[in-house]
Amino acid sequence: MNILERYDAMEYGPAPESRSEADRWLAARDLAASLFINGDWVKPASGKTFETREPASGKLLATLGEAGAADIDAAVAAARKALPKWQALSGYERARHLYAIGRAMQRHARLFAVLESLDNGKPIRESRDIDVPLAIRHFIHHAGWAQALDKEFPGHKAAGVAGQIIPWNFPLLMLGWKIAPALAAGCTVVLKPAEFTPLTAILFAEICARVGLPKGVVNIVQGGPEAGAAIVDHADIDKIAFTGSSEVGKIIRKATAGTGKKLSLELGGKSAFIVFEDADLDSAVEGLVDGIWFNQGQVCCAGSRLLVQEGIADRFVEKVKARMGKLRLGDPLDKNTDIGPLVDRTQLERVRRLVAQGASEGAICWQPDCAVPTEGHYHLPVLATNLAPANVLAQEEVFGPVLAAMTFRTTDEAVSIANNTRYGLAASIWSENINLALDAAPKLKAGVVWINGTNMFDAACGFGGYRESGFGREGGREGLAEYLVAPMAKSADLAPAKPVEPTSAADGVGIDRTAKLYIGGKQVRPDGAYSMPVTGAKGRLAGEVGIGSRKDIRDAVSAAHAAKGWAAATGYNRAQVLYFFAENLDARAGEFAARITDLTGASARASRAEVDLSVERLFALAGLADKYEGRVHQPPARAVTLALHEPVGVIGVVASDDQPLLGLISLIAPALTMGNSVVAVPSARHALVATDLYQVMETSDLPAGAVNIVTGPARDLAKVLAMHDDVDGLWVVADKDTCRTAEAESVGNLKRVWTSNGKSVDWSVQPHDLLLPRAVEVKNVWVPYGD
């Protein structure tokens, strides 16, 4: 028998990883007292318990105490008490704690991996070789950030007590993604693991105690929805970090509106896996296996939508089917297993239901003839073809081993199909032509793009999405910033604006000189034909401005989207336009100062200072247009990661009555600097300053639609902007109720919202670059190299 014959005759033999250490660990603990609060193991106040079972067999692993609202109160109180001492430690001292945690995790890496596979069902190769090492990497990486904090983030301080809620698909890795940057930033933590997968978090808490982490710095509370809701709603938590479904993310966004809590959401995805005709097809097939069948497809960034160029589609699909036939379903502790069980019976039933619905909508769902274990929550891998773009399998996140395949002809068509989703988490591009790949990557609405690879992660490289995939980043500089607050000048509460009494634009005698709205580079009358008076400081009528409506906002947003040339312009070209804008404003400085004095009653000197500072702000931000750039990361892999700064898109801004010119410029300019287009609602009380300003814009080479100005009551128009699903970001300086409404009504498309939380902002002392980080999306493009 020759070598090839021997190779073909070989059969897989079982290669099980021993579970004896994990079983001893479980048997030695009273997991009814599994809440880790203030450094102690306690039972829940209610005495309630819940079970965690092996997905591979359904057998009971452990019965644990279930936290309720009283336990969350105790955990938050412990974290709040520990916060001052933890923040008082030097960066070096916090770094030593983080490093000690990472080293202790390394010593217990095998136990972590086995517990993870038993509790979650993922193959041991994945937990051993990916999840555990990467979680350790986060703690050691962030030890360095703890020491570099003061230099890299001058003036910033820790957000405070962080409430963190993590999912069941990557229990230990998500814990590392959340806790490591929080501790490095100086926050204390209350973390709730998923009720399906609580075990590795308990082992982690034991390690925190062993290495001498101060009591109360990390608190871990096992529980279900009641515990999660108690964390989100707790008044003494300053920052919420959530990873999970988009539906729950929207509930959290609404629940935290108006509370002033920092919020980051890492949510669902429907990621495209794009294969061009010049790709190495065999490599792409192996990448696809990692992209969709890694962790049984229970991955938010799973490459669940296969887009193949038409010329190679049939050949590629046959290769995929052949590879699917070789996948092994089985015991997650067997080192030869490719696909383990789904996490729970409810998840298995959900996947079956969605596959059946996809088939009823016309999809052809093919499955290989593989052996399936008789016990456990196993589902064969599925390849769905013949899909309409609206098929449920092409649009909804299945969170299982289901691949939806479609074809495309051109690069533009591939990008269009890839972006045809409400999500925007990740994408994968396969092509031997790096120029083609790097041309397509920026066009994809995804926070992470892998080129000739998939599911690559590192602590130094940010991860997170656009659209309904959430906002904020995990890992890297951006991830650390989620646990810090920027310095803000002291400010007073803003009072709600008085209701506006509309008048007909036709009222009065003589020529109508009502200042119009500014939409798409043109002065237009408001759709409702109503106007409102603008009075000066002495009560004299200074003029009238139009009252914008929902229709006017809709027109302004459409015009903003049409101004694509502004985002496509180079930073250098945008800088020149903003410099010119500043020059033209400076040329009319006396006129604007007089207008400000007339409307606000400020002294001539103070008004001129406001105009001069507005010009200076435009100059400063123009200068940053080609300097506030991304970074190149070098992760410990044969790849570079390009952290690109991309414009958010259309940003709505709502200015307050304070500093009517400077406040408006300070909101508009950062957005324009980074290539965004703007729909601005200026101060209603001093709106004539804004209508004077668009006359300057008309002569400053700003493209039509780059800035649109809609006058009217801030409360009403802020809500319209928040509810508009084609607005990508919203910045609001207004009274507390208007700010709360803006946050609450933004859940439709989970737009990025920044508000002053009811406070005034003194733009004369606030750094000019305050909003620049919010004017960009950071897209991480992974480019591997070597053979």
Side-chain angles (χ1 to χ4, degrees), residues 462-486:
F463 178 86
Y466 297 4
R467 297 173 170 173
E468 292 189 34
S469 289
F471 46 77
R473 293 292 183 263
E474 310 270 6
R477 183 184 181 89
E478 312 92 83
L480 184 66
E482 296 295 333
Y483 291 91
L484 296 168
V485 291

Side-chain angles (χ1 to χ4, degrees), residues 131 144 147 156 185 190 522 612 669 756 772:
D131 293 32
Q147 273 189 275
H156 287 64
V190 177
K522 299 178 180 178
D612 290 344
S756 67
L772 276 183

Side-chain angles (χ1 to χ4, degrees), residues 691-706:
T691 58
D692 290 347
L693 188 64
Y694 67 57
Q695 297 169 17
V696 178
M697 294 177 188
E698 288 176 322
T699 60
S700 299
D701 292 343
L702 269 172

Side-chain angles (χ1 to χ4, degrees), residues 86-87 94 98 142 145-146 149 157-159 179-187 480-484:
W86 182 246
Q87 290 182 326
R94 287 200 302 274
L98 283 160
H142 282 91
W145 269 121
L149 204 62
K157 63 178 183 179
I179 292 182
L183 298 190
C187 297
L480 184 66
E482 296 295 333
Y483 291 91
L484 296 168

Side-chain angles (χ1 to χ4, degrees), residues 263-448:
L263 176 65
S264 55
L265 301 173
E266 197 266 283
L267 307 176
K270 194 67 181 175
S271 302
F273 189 100
I274 305 171
V275 183
F276 287 97
E277 59 189 2
D278 66 341
D280 179 336
L281 299 191
D282 292 328
S283 294
V285 169
E286 292 306 310
L288 188 60
V289 170
D290 290 336
I292 180 57
W293 292 301
F294 173 55
N295 196 22
Q296 295 73 256
Q298 299 170 134
V299 184
C300 55
C301 56
S304 56
R305 289 189 300 153
L306 171 62
L307 310 182
V308 191
Q309 202 153 17
E310 277 190 1
I312 58 164
D314 291 342
R315 185 156 50 104
F316 189 77
V317 166
E318 288 307 310
K319 284 179 175 287
V320 172
K321 288 182 176 180
R323 185 65 179 88
M324 290 172 68
K326 301 294 184 183
L327 295 172
R328 293 177 60 83
L329 282 72
D331 181 2
L333 291 184
D334 190 330
K335 301 179 190 70
N336 290 323
T337 294
D338 297 306
I339 298 179
L342 298 178
V343 74
D344 184 75
R345 171 66 59 180
T346 55
Q347 183 64 15
L348 176 62
E349 291 172 353
R350 180 179 186 276
V351 173
R352 286 173 174 169
R353 184 176 68 252
L354 286 171
V355 170
Q357 183 180 343
S360 71
E361 294 175 3
I364 299 173
C365 296
W366 183 87
Q367 294 177 294
D369 185 16
C370 297
V372 181
T374 55
E375 288 186 323
H377 314 311
Y378 290 88
H379 195 290
L380 278 170
V382 175
L383 172 63
T385 56
N386 193 45
L387 288 120
N391 189 289
V392 66
L393 298 181
Q395 290 295 324
E396 293 301 319
E397 184 181 37
V398 177
F399 226 61
V402 180
L403 176 65
M406 293 168 278
T407 62
F408 67 89
R409 292 175 182 156
T410 65
T411 302
D412 287 345
E413 186 180 6
V415 169
S416 178
I417 296 172
N419 290 339
N420 181 28
T421 171
R422 68 179 189 273
Y423 300 108
L425 189 53
S428 186
I429 300 172
W430 292 77
S431 172
E432 291 296 281
N433 183 344
I434 195 67
N435 291 330
L436 172 61
L438 289 176
D439 176 61
K443 298 174 182 176
L444 297 171
K445 289 295 183 182
V448 181

Side-chain angles (χ1 to χ4, degrees), residues 53 287 296 347 371 475 502 667 709 717 733 766 776 778:
R53 294 179 174 272
Q296 295 73 256
Q347 183 64 15
L667 290 169
I709 295 176
L717 297 179
V733 181
Q766 201 60 47
V776 296
V778 181

